[in-house]
Amino acid sequence: MQQGFRAAVFVLALLAAGSSRADGYELDTGDIVRVSVLGEAAYPMEVVVDDRGSISLPLLGDIRARGLTTLSLSQEIQRSFQERQLILDPFVKVEIGQYRPFFISGAVARPGSYAYQPGITVRHALAIAGGFRPTTAGETVPALTIADLRSERANLTIEEYRLKVRLARLHAEGRLKEALLAPPDPPIELGEGLIADIVATEQAQLRARLIAFHSDVSHLEASIKRMKKQAKMVATAKDEREAAMKSQLDELESVKTLRQKGLMTNSNVMALERAHNNYRVDLAQAELQETRAQQDILNLESELRKKRQDREFQVISDIQDTQVSLAKLRSQLKYVTDKLLFVFEYGEHRSFEELHDSVKISIFRRNYQGARDLVADENTEVRAGDAIEVSVVANKGFYVPGAAQSGRAGSADGAARQAHGRLTGH
């Protein structure tokens, strides 16, 4: 309960500090931003930063957002409106709709993805994930055999490769590529036939999804093209009616002049006036048809944009879910091995503070400049999209709390290395 209270305090502190740090936040893939343009009916709207680091907006198309703050992105959108002479003096406001999450795995109570807040540190992330847990699968020593562990490792390896191929398929789908690039160096535990089946299954799914998407887009594009052609025909017919009405009006004025001179009867003038009224009715109907055609075109174009945006949202969501699953899978076997070493050697559960020198915190961080692995501690600031792995390493601090037991530490280190070799089959 006390640990849950500390987690709540951490979250409240983050919310208070979030607004002051959000201004310098750099956007990247997975962030959702809310764009408002004063006086434009299509706004405000929420758009996602796609895997290329761009957002797609009506009238403007793709705008690069990766690496920009909300302020610099709003300025970029303003420039785009002005360069295209769509709005002379636009007022644009960009806000964070939803931050991309951070991920935490390993020796924590509840590994997974969590909502990011500016200013969060590794200590806060540990509290949100339920705290540090060197062992969480029970309070007794698990009676696992080497064969069981090897079997589990083989199954995890197969599933890891499946997820890596799925991730490659999703990246290819996001870029509208028809072929995925299979991960190199597949595990030796997998036979060539199984590897080929995994890749072929994902390749078939990629083709099927792209065919369905392209079919929907082609249908909408063909409908827009057909509607534009009809609109052009309606506009031409309207122009012809307008020209005929003008000619008829000139004729009517001429006939009225002749009537004043006594050279034309009233009945002829009235007939021409009726004809002129008919022309005006026809012209009004043509203008209404033209307006309806233009509105139909706008509706179809909006539907096409929504189709593309929905696909981007779905692909990015699937990528994030797959990355979370992959991070969990990659850490699971290592976590089980560390847990077994710890429990078999001591049969007790120690706190984060007691194992401070033996707890390894790694952060995989990717941004618009590239990706890198960081060695972190409890006070390291977490960024959106970070993948945090918490593990217990088998060093002297892991087994021995004090330097006075160095002899015991050396024997424990040797035992740990031998146990690790048996567990992994090396």
Side-chain angles (χ1 to χ4, degrees), residues 375-390:
V375 178
D377 59 25
E378 298 170 84
N379 298 318
T380 301
E381 183 170 349
V382 177
R383 297 182 183 176
D386 278 356
I388 307 169
E389 182 177 2
V390 182

Side-chain angles (χ1 to χ4, degrees), residues 149-168:
L149 189 59
R150 285 179 175 173
S151 175
E152 182 181 358
R153 181 177 182 274
N155 292 334
L156 291 173
T157 301
I158 294 173
E159 186 59 25
E160 179 190 22
Y161 189 71
R162 287 184 189 276
L163 289 175
K164 290 168 69 176
V165 176
R166 182 182 303 169
L167 195 60

Side-chain angles (χ1 to χ4, degrees), residues 144-151 153 337 340-341 344-345 412 414-426:
L144 299 176
T145 65
I146 294 176
D148 290 337
L149 189 59
R150 285 179 175 173
S151 175
R153 181 177 182 274
T337 303
L340 288 174
L341 289 172
F344 279 136
E345 287 294 328
R417 285 193 294 270
Q418 294 176 6
H420 182 75
R422 292 195 303 271
L423 290 172
T424 56
H426 297 299

Side-chain angles (χ1 to χ4, degrees), residues 15 44 230 246 271 318 337 341 390 397 404:
L15 292 175
Q230 292 177 358
K246 186 176 181 303
D318 290 344
T337 303
L341 289 172
V390 182

